[in-house]
Amino acid sequence: MRVIRKTPRDFVPKPWKNGLGVTREIHIHPEDANFETGDFLWRLSSADVTSGGPFSFFPGYDRSLFLLSGDGMDLELRGVKVSLAAPFSSIRFKGEDEVMCSLPGGPCTDFNIFCRRSDVSCEYRKIPVTALQKRLFLLGDWTVLFCLRGGVSAEWDGEWTKLDGMELLVLEDYPADFSLTCRGAPDGEILLVTLTARN
């Protein structure tokens, strides 16, 4: 099994594909892939969105976007207007969709998951983690534990690590029956992302 721990110090600044901003690449798989050439299977990123405008195109990829901070983002896609106002609210859409963004309350920070549609599926859920232990069974081929808020510790096979906000674990090559235990602060919350290779 391989466990990769990342903090904001490890995030790599990258220009948006449309040149209108800068994102922080959190993790990309394979790790020698390049998002600009579209040779990656999946990718995690976060950006400070300081002004409205169009999103970059990622044909062939599914995209999940979360509001991390700020007073909300208004998105228009496929003729429908969607507002992300609550912290950690999210939306899924296709990378080839035309998406326009406006910021009614000023700058925001987002978190993104990109998956190549033909090769990888993605599921996610937000999980509150308090002082009580919570056991998680890991499915799929890759798992990401992203700490949204509060301090969260994860323990497995006699090892443990602590995650603060915007810190994460990427786990891969784990056995089919693998599980880990999480506990956290009263307001602790993680995003559990399960990525599965399509056969």
Side-chain angles (χ1 to χ4, degrees), residues 57-146:
F57 286 106
F58 286 86
Y61 287 86
D62 289 330
R63 182 172 179 178
S64 302
L65 181 146
F66 302 78
L67 176 69
L68 290 185
S69 65
D71 290 331
M73 303 172 71
D74 289 346
L75 306 179
E76 184 172 349
L77 68 155
R78 303 186 211 126
V80 177
K81 293 184 178 181
V82 179
S83 293
L84 300 182
F88 315 130
S89 54
S90 64
I91 184 174
R92 295 183 191 234
F93 53 94
K94 294 181 179 180
E96 54 266 36
D97 286 340
E98 292 188 7
V99 181
M100 288 295 297
C101 169
S102 60
L103 304 173
C108 296
T109 300
D110 66 17
F111 172 70
N112 298 270
I113 307 170
F114 299 87
C115 294
R116 189 188 293 167
R117 189 176 308 123
S118 60
D119 296 291
V120 180
S121 64
C122 174
E123 298 295 331
Y124 56 82
R125 59 192 173 111
K126 293 178 290 182
I127 301 176
V129 180
T130 63
L132 298 176
Q133 292 187 10
K134 185 177 291 291
R135 191 177 184 189
L136 303 176
F137 289 90
L138 305 193
L139 305 176
D141 296 285
W142 305 273
T143 295
V144 177
L145 268 68
F146 182 65

Side-chain angles (χ1 to χ4, degrees), residues 3 7 15 20 34-35 37 47 55 65 76 82 105-106 109 111 116-117 125 139 153 159 161 174 178 194:
V3 180
T7 74
L20 298 179
N34 186 332
F35 87 97
T37 57
F55 279 10
L65 181 146
E76 184 172 349
V82 179
T109 300
F111 172 70
R116 189 188 293 167
R117 189 176 308 123
R125 59 192 173 111
L139 305 176
S153 66
E159 300 187 38
T161 189
Y174 41 83
F178 184 76
T194 301

Side-chain angles (χ1 to χ4, degrees), residues 1-2 137-140 157 172-179:
M1 185 179 76
R2 186 181 182 210
F137 289 90
L138 305 193
L139 305 176
D157 294 339
E172 55 187 39
D173 298 328
Y174 41 83
D177 59 349
F178 184 76
S179 67

